[in-house]
Amino acid sequence: MAVRFLNRDVSDLCLGKPALRSIPENATVAEALLLLKRSGETHLSLWNCDHSSSVLEKAKADYDGCHCVGKISMVDLICFLSKQEHLIDFSKAFEVPISKILPKGDSIVRHLDPNSSLLEAIDYMIEGTQNAVIPIYNNGSTDSRRKSSSLRSTNHNGVEYCWLTQEDVARFLLNSIGVFSPMPTFSIESLNIIDHNIMTIGYHDPAISALDSISLANIEQTALAVVDNDNKLIGEISASTLAYCDEDVAAAITTLSAGDLMAYIDYGGPPEDLVGLVKMRLQEKKLDRMTKLIMEEEFSASSSSSSACSCSSDDESGSSRNGSGRFSSSRRSEAITCYPGSSLVAVLIQALAHRATSVWVIDEDQNLVGAVSFKGILKVFRSIAIARLKPETENLSTQ
């Protein structure tokens, strides 16, 4: 039954998913920032619609002449703006095409046919695909949320596209967890899915020293653990939290320690004392343009606080923006933890409930042991299907 379940069409997971909204790959950093704030999206899809493009030739498929070549998020923009050369000249950095700062990797975004199997999608995700782009066919009118967006539609000759993430697939599998019994009740330690090769930073270490690790965590859909001197877990810096921030966080990364950065990006907005500390250190570094940006963001947030909206029940990201464009997120920098003896299904529920890219594994003394990611969990479900497929294949060969 598990094999049959994983052979179902991947388009089944697209039911109820909103169509992608897109921006051209030649859009600038400034344009991407504006659209992310206005749209309420955490990621934007980038499309190449040049029929003669080498990108399309490489894809070996013609999607009505257009192909999704990547995605961009606030995390990518924050990491880009945090680099020293861009802090000095923000105006120049804002004019850089976002195609220049796309996360590297050919398989981060991959087109799949709607009749591709769920198992095929899982295979690609294990290999590194973050988003599977699936064609969807809508004859009805667009919903009010999409009408109000200033983003371009991915509608081509009546075909629109959605994308599926590792989290989407994991949630779908949880809804039919009984199909894979009894494996989900086994401990994560016995299933050997605890990743001990994790990225960490000390609580008092400069956050800027971990800029490359933050970028890598964004690409690999993991997180950066913040630990004390005894390797005890204090919190995390994750892409799922940074995605709900504004570009002023680049200044915080440049000036604050890892521990202070956690407090700065925590939902509810940064504490006033940390904002003051960031501005003071920027002035010491003679980064006047960045200081001005912080002051503008602070004024914008305070002047529109009375118009802050609450999360709607159909908001897929679980977040909302207030009038300033600043997110109010349900994700915090508090780390979600489990133990080596925790069951697979328990860890999966934790990850989905908190929308965490990593569930940290600690021992009884609170020492950090490793982490479990969606990719590791998907490997288990795939192994179940492969293990059950072998006897069926052997029986057929003996007949």
Side-chain angles (χ1 to χ4, degrees), residues 269-321:
E272 291 184 7
D273 60 332
L274 285 182
V275 174
L277 179 60
V278 169
K279 288 192 288 188
M280 181 187 73
R281 290 179 176 173
L282 288 174
Q283 290 169 351
E284 292 174 353
K285 295 175 179 286
K286 301 187 184 303
L287 297 172
D288 297 331
R289 292 187 180 181
M290 178 65 86
T291 306
K292 182 180 179 181
L293 173 66
I294 294 289
M295 295 177 66
E296 289 174 351
E297 291 287 351
E298 187 178 11
F299 173 77
S300 178
S302 62
S303 63
S304 60
S305 59
S306 60
S307 63
C309 62
S310 59
C311 296
S312 61
S313 59
D314 61 347
D315 188 346
E316 187 180 31
S317 65
S319 64
S320 62
R321 285 188 185 274

Side-chain angles (χ1 to χ4, degrees), residues 149-202:
S149 174
S150 60
L151 297 177
R152 293 173 49 180
S153 170
T154 55
N155 189 315
H156 303 291
N157 296 329
V159 181
E160 293 181 311
Y161 298 85
C162 75
W163 60 19
L164 300 176
T165 65
Q166 295 176 9
E167 180 183 342
D168 292 327
V169 175
R171 192 178 300 277
F172 187 76
L173 293 173
L174 177 63
N175 290 335
S176 302
I177 197 71
V179 172
F180 303 92
S181 181
M183 188 75 75
T185 62
F186 295 175
S187 72
I188 56 174
E189 186 174 41
S190 66
L191 293 172
N192 196 31
I193 61 170
I194 301 176
D195 184 3
H196 300 282
N197 185 27
I198 54 178
M199 295 180 289
T200 64
I201 184 174

Side-chain angles (χ1 to χ4, degrees), residues 360-378:
W360 302 102
V361 184
I362 57 175
D363 61 20
E364 295 180 354
D365 296 322
Q366 306 300 307
N367 295 309
L368 183 59
V369 174
V372 175
S373 64
F374 282 126
K375 183 187 294 187
I377 291 174
L378 293 181

